Amino acid sequence: MHKKRVVIKVGTNVMTNRDNRIVGPILKSLVRQIAQLYEQGIQCVLVSSGSAIAGKEILGEISIQDDSVRRQVYSAVGQPRMMRHYYSLFHDYGLRCAQVLATKRDFSPGRHHENMLNCYEGLLSEGVTPIANEDDAVSLTMSMFTDNDELASLVAELISADMLIILTDTDGLYTGHPDDESSELLHQVQVEENVEKYVQQTEKGEAEGRGGMQSKLKIAKETAAKNIVTYIANGKRKNVILDIVEGKNVGTKFTI
């Protein structure tokens, strides 16, 4: 197996149930697969959503009306809870993890970019799995990522990853709505193909999240164009990460 660096992005809809509660077994499965890749000599970076949901679980409904401030508060409260979950799970597999928060300006050319790269390279060299997320507590307007899909793509480019896996709650990109029996899953897409026409404008958005399929498609194409093989796949499918890395026909694969 030649792949040595994989960035895995897990969306809010993957890790939550219908009541918008964090599902522990999903996180455990995710970490178990990362642990198995680590044993094979494959370094992983996890880009994880969920902090706002975790914060809402703790605080419940709050009186703040401004959407941006609400997100800041929920995320600031939820980040420690998410990391507590992950720290415990990684520890169970004898692994260590670290939190890396970023804003968009951290990926701009110059000192910020260099510092971010040094951080990731240092963690990976010590066998520590970086868990990346947007620094929602301070990230507003111009310093915001479009969503965590964009963050995952930037991290993949930063560390020269071999693969980006975007995990969502559908099996990949379909020729129509996933619930329509006539829709077919597209197993492979080249960046120049016009598949945007298949994205439904009425698609479901992520709970407390920002990234939908339209965003994922855009990011997948942009990342693949940089010679980083990219997948959109169902994060709730058993062993989905392992199957993708092993080359099985899972999800939608984007290539040049």
Side-chain angles (χ1 to χ4, degrees), residues 38 61 66 78-80 88 108 115 139 156 197 200 214-215 245:
Y38 181 81
E61 289 297 332
D66 185 281
Q79 280 289 356
S88 176
S108 301
N115 287 341
S139 182
K197 59 187 178 183
Q200 300 294 309
Q214 194 164 11
S215 168
V245 174

Side-chain angles (χ1 to χ4, degrees), residues 146-164:
T146 305
D147 46 45
N148 269 350
D149 300 321
E150 182 184 21
L151 170 58
S153 177
L154 289 170
V155 171
E157 182 180 9
L158 177 76
I159 67 169
S160 300
D162 302 288
M163 179 181 290
L164 168 63

Side-chain angles (χ1 to χ4, degrees), residues 4-237:
K4 295 300 181 182
R5 282 190 173 178
V6 179
V7 175
I8 302 157
K9 184 266 180 176
V10 55
T12 305
N13 279 347
V14 174
M15 61 175 61
T16 57
N17 58 22
R18 292 180 179 179
D19 297 323
N20 285 340
R21 306 284 294 183
I22 301 292
V23 181
I26 294 290
L27 298 185
K28 184 174 182 178
S29 173
L30 187 69
V31 175
R32 174 184 58 79
Q33 292 176 79
I34 291 173
Q36 288 183 241
L37 291 180
Y38 181 81
E39 291 176 357
Q40 299 172 34
I42 299 173
Q43 298 174 331
C44 295
V45 175
L46 177 61
V47 180
S48 176
S49 302
S51 61
I53 288 290
K56 195 169 185 178
E57 286 183 359
I58 296 170
L59 296 179
E61 289 297 332
I62 57 179
S63 60
I64 298 170
Q65 298 300 309
D66 185 281
D67 288 341
S68 296
V69 179
R70 281 172 63 86
R71 172 171 290 278
Q72 285 178 301
V73 170
Y74 278 140
S75 296
V77 172
Q79 280 289 356
R81 183 170 187 174
M82 288 300 300
M83 286 309 300
R84 188 167 66 246
H85 280 315
Y86 281 126
Y87 179 87
S88 176
L89 290 169
F90 274 91
H91 183 267
D92 288 344
Y93 289 98
L95 296 177
R96 298 166 295 176
C97 63
Q99 183 179 51
V100 182
L101 299 178
T103 63
K104 202 166 185 176
R105 63 175 174 267
D106 292 317
F107 291 89
S108 301
R111 175 60 76 177
H112 284 290
H113 183 276
E114 183 180 342
N115 287 341
M116 184 64 67
L117 177 59
N118 290 341
C119 177
Y120 277 104
E121 292 292 350
L123 290 169
L124 292 170
S125 71
E126 292 297 320
V128 180
T129 301
I131 300 178
N133 197 5
E134 181 170 12
D135 193 354
D136 290 306
V138 300
S139 182
L140 292 172
T141 58
M142 293 299 291
S143 63
M144 288 180 69
F145 300 101
T146 305
D147 46 45
N148 269 350
D149 300 321
E150 182 184 21
L151 170 58
S153 177
L154 289 170
V155 171
E157 182 180 9
L158 177 76
I159 67 169
S160 300
D162 302 288
M163 179 181 290
L164 168 63
I165 301 173
I166 299 174
L167 297 178
T168 184
D169 61 348
T170 60
D171 290 331
L173 180 64
Y174 283 83
T175 57
H177 195 281
D179 295 334
D180 189 338
E181 291 184 0
S182 64
S183 296
E184 296 181 3
L185 178 64
L186 297 172
H187 286 289
Q188 185 149 344
V189 173
Q190 292 184 310
V191 293
E192 71 271 12
E193 287 185 66
N194 178 24
V195 292
E196 284 76 8
K197 59 187 178 183
Y198 296 131
V199 179
Q200 300 294 309
Q201 297 302 315
T202 56
E203 64 184 358
K204 177 177 62 176
E206 292 196 357
E208 292 293 332
R210 301 196 298 270
M213 184 55 74
Q214 194 164 11
S215 168
K216 288 172 175 55
L217 174 57
K218 177 177 179 292
I219 291 298
K221 279 192 165 189
E222 290 177 355
T223 310
K226 297 168 185 172
N227 205 28
I228 301 171
V229 178
T230 302
Y231 283 81
I232 297 176
N234 194 331
K236 296 184 179 181
R237 182 184 187 278

